[in-house]
Amino acid sequence: MNNKAFDLNLVRIFCTVYDTGSLTIAGERLNITQPAISHALKKMRAYYDDPLFVRSDGKMIPTKLSTSIAPNLKKSLELINISLKSKMV
């Protein structure tokens, strides 16, 4: 997958899984199914060539790569949300 084909919705899903440590809770927060969350992570894993999260004791634990990219992805998502809200003003 190249940058042009990257789905920005994956960023929102990644950040929610990162914050919750759970595919199920992420799905509930985003109002999408757990299989849809799994499918999105599969795409991100392929893009980054990294598992991104590993299951341990019922939680999704971020890999080193996830930990390193999460701050930038979260900030990007925050900036997009600010830009979208400015339309409401």
Side-chain angles (χ1 to χ4, degrees), residues 23-83:
L23 302 185
T24 301
I25 295 170
E28 289 170 358
R29 285 196 184 169
L30 298 172
N31 200 30
I32 57 179
T33 65
Q34 185 273 331
I37 298 287
S38 293
H39 184 70
L41 279 182
K42 181 178 178 182
K43 287 181 179 182
M44 288 206 59
R45 287 171 169 148
Y47 182 82
Y48 283 104
D49 192 26
D50 186 86
L52 299 177
F53 300 93
V54 292
R55 186 171 302 283
S56 178
D57 295 325
K59 290 205 52 111
M60 298 302 287
I61 307 300
T63 63
K64 286 183 182 182
L65 179 65
S66 282
T67 301
S68 72
I69 65 174
N72 287 335
L73 292 177
K74 287 179 163 195
K75 186 64 173 177
S76 298
L77 191 59
E78 180 184 324
L79 292 171
I80 289 168
N81 286 330
I82 289 168
S83 295

